[in-house]
Amino acid sequence: MNKLFLAVLLLFVSMGAGTMGAGAQNSGAMASADHTAPSYDMKAQALVDLATCGVVAMVAGRLAPAGMKRCAGLAGLWLAALCPFVANYSTGILAEVLATFFTALALAVFAGGLSEDPAPGGRRFGALLQSSWFLGGLVVGFGTLMRPEAPLLLLAAGLVLLVRWRRRADWMKLIRAGALMFIGMILPLVPWAARNWRVLGDVQFLAPRYSQLPGELVPKGFYSWTNTWMWRFRDVYLVPWKLEDEEIRIEDIPAYAFDSEEERQRISDVLDEYNDSLTISADEDREFGEIARERTVRHPLRTYLTVPMKRAFTLWFTPRIELLPFSGQLWPIRAAWEEDPVDFSVTVAFGTLGILLAAAGIWGAWLARGSPITALLVAYCVVRTLYLLHVETPEPRYVIECFPAVLALAAQTFVRR
């Protein structure tokens, strides 16, 4: 990748992030329940989203064979520009737009590294700082400030390099690339770690997994219980997101969350205690953990395979209309159509589009299966999906960061090979 272009893009996004940050400080909109952003934030995020389209085109072009790079780049550009899923988030105060941009940019930089051999004299300090592995790590570091799981991209890149440079003669290349990626990632996080050490007395490079305050109880038992049954986004609203804020009603929990009437009564009793104070105690959390352990012993495949597979399907193939003025109601089909045919049609259209894009991405990956860049894009989607299967509150928006990879792969279906 052209290093000057990379520097311009980083400057551009830094300015965009600054604009959004200033807008957030000068607006009370950040506290709104629907995450609606003021106009200057929307404009800044729209510009970043447009830059993401250009970067996706670069990745698609790098993946295509010689002579077809322009065609693939144009296909990637149009697919990214017309895809509504990332664009939706430019209207809200969420991290998705910037996180997706940094993901796309890091993929583009690493794609450049995979398509080039290390230059002679590449051990000089100046050459190391211009290395694709260092620059890619640097971009991932900035992305980590947006979403703490961004280093998953380094894991995917590391797996690809481990396979590519598995021979003993290439081990020094592997070690050097890994070290450069790690150093690049850490540098943007150092100011944040220094701030945490000064304010909190603790060197934290990343936000805590559960976003808890010092001394605050982490309800791991409760989350272990929800992980034995929860796979629909609807249930995230009704159960874990209400914890510590609202009452959790046993009637809102689906029947498949209970293996027996006795178990349902146990959970009802614990929830009654919680609802009295709206604060989960250590004893209540311990009881949830015990129920989770019993459910896992009875049906280990359900906890470790069935529920995660259902989560993966939901994360990838949900209609993604959560930021649009539609309910997403599809069942029962006839009643949903009669109640609001426009709502039903938009939901079906968005769901179908997601399936078509995923299918095109898979087909494109097959067409370009011999490229290490394809391995990187596929590895990133797989690694991120596996991680999300075990997140306490799996939201479909968390796979938005995979769409630059999906779109770049889908663009290969427009290329003759």
Side-chain angles (χ1 to χ4, degrees):
M1 168 180 283
N2 185 288
K3 305 303 188 296
L4 177 60
F5 182 62
L6 172 60
V8 171
L9 280 176
L10 284 175
L11 177 62
F12 171 78
V13 173
S14 299
M15 292 172 63
T19 302
M20 286 182 277
Q25 288 183 345
N26 295 321
S27 172
M30 207 168 178
S32 65
D34 60 359
H35 305 291
T36 301
S39 60
Y40 35 78
D41 287 352
M42 292 169 59
K43 292 174 182 176
Q45 292 194 121
L47 291 174
V48 174
D49 189 28
L50 287 174
T52 302
C53 297
V55 179
V56 169
M58 293 177 62
V59 179
R62 283 197 176 275
L63 189 53
M68 299 300 294
K69 293 185 179 297
R70 184 174 183 274
C71 177
L74 285 174
L77 179 65
W78 278 106
L79 285 173
L82 295 175
C83 179
F85 300 134
V86 181
N88 282 346
Y89 288 95
S90 64
T91 64
I93 303 180
L94 293 166
E96 267 56 45
V97 172
L98 276 171
T100 303
F101 171 82
F102 282 118
T103 298
L105 186 57
L107 288 172
V109 176
F110 288 143
L114 289 170
S115 60
E116 301 168 358
D117 289 324
R123 294 183 181 179
R124 296 195 304 268
F125 182 72
L128 291 177
L129 292 183
Q130 297 181 52
S131 162
S132 294
W133 313 120
F134 173 77
L135 291 174
L138 192 67
V139 175
V140 170
F142 282 109
T144 305
L145 296 174
M146 301 295 108
R147 294 216 58 87
E149 72 277 5
L152 290 172
L153 180 50
L154 295 188
L155 175 58
L159 291 174
V160 173
L161 293 179
L162 186 63
V163 174
R164 188 186 191 193
W165 290 334
R166 60 187 179 278
R167 297 182 181 85
R168 182 183 294 271
D170 294 324
W171 283 4
M172 285 308 300
K173 295 180 186 177
L174 179 64
I175 293 172
R176 184 173 66 169
L180 289 173
M181 287 191 292
F182 178 78
I183 293 170
M185 181 197 70
I186 287 294
L187 286 179
L189 303 180
V190 169
W192 176 252
R195 175 264 179 199
N196 288 336
W197 175 74
R198 180 177 180 182
V199 176
L200 304 176
D202 186 17
V203 179
Q204 293 182 358
F205 285 91
L206 299 174
R209 175 178 176 179
Y210 300 99
S211 301
Q212 76 273 15
L213 297 173
E216 185 178 7
L217 173 68
V218 176
K220 295 182 179 180
F222 178 84
Y223 291 137
S224 296
W225 169 65
T226 58
N227 283 338
T228 65
W229 61 269
M230 188 178 65
W231 56 273
R232 296 187 305 174
F233 187 42
R234 169 185 175 275
D235 297 323
V236 174
Y237 278 103
L238 296 175
V239 183
W241 277 3
K242 288 187 175 182
L243 192 66
E244 302 287 318
D245 287 319
E246 302 178 42
E247 291 187 0
I248 300 175
R249 300 169 63 244
I250 192 69
E251 295 82 7
D252 290 336
I253 302 175
Y256 53 78
F258 317 109
D259 286 343
S260 64
E261 187 59 36
E262 177 186 358
E263 182 181 301
R264 187 179 189 278
Q265 187 58 49
R266 286 175 64 189
I267 293 173
S268 179
D269 293 341
V270 179
L271 288 178
D272 287 341
E273 295 179 18
Y274 158 77
N275 290 336
D276 288 340
S277 62
L278 298 185
T279 301
I280 189 169
S281 67
D283 290 339
E284 293 162 1
D285 185 60
R286 196 176 301 113
E287 180 66 14
F288 277 118
E290 178 62 23
I291 294 173
R293 188 192 66 79
E294 294 171 4
R295 287 173 57 83
T296 300
V297 169
R298 285 194 297 268
H299 301 286
L301 288 180
R302 175 180 60 191
T303 299
Y304 298 119
L305 181 62
T306 306
V307 171
M309 291 298 291
K310 289 181 177 179
R311 280 191 176 190
F313 183 85
T314 301
L315 287 169
W316 275 99
F317 298 112
T318 184
R320 305 188 190 284
I321 45 83
E322 59 267 22
L323 293 183
L324 299 175
F326 302 106
S327 68
Q329 184 68 33
L330 291 177
W331 309 105
I333 294 178
R334 182 171 182 176
W337 170 262
E338 292 177 349
E339 181 177 348
D340 194 334
V342 174
D343 189 305
F344 181 87
S345 300
V346 171
T347 302
V348 170
F350 270 60
T352 303
L353 178 60
I355 294 173
L356 291 176
L357 282 176
I362 293 172
W363 179 239
W366 174 256
L367 293 175
R369 59 190 178 276
S371 170
I373 300 175
T374 300
L376 171 65
L377 302 182
V378 173
Y380 175 63
C381 292
V382 172
V383 167
R384 187 172 181 85
T385 301
L386 291 175
Y387 167 79
L388 293 176
L389 297 184
H390 303 284
V391 171
E392 287 68 31
T393 55
E395 300 180 51
R397 66 186 176 99
Y398 291 159
V399 298
I400 288 294
E401 286 82 355
C402 293
F403 271 79
V406 173
L407 294 169
L409 290 170
Q412 305 311 304
T413 61
F414 295 86
V415 172
R416 269 192 307 233
R417 294 179 181 269

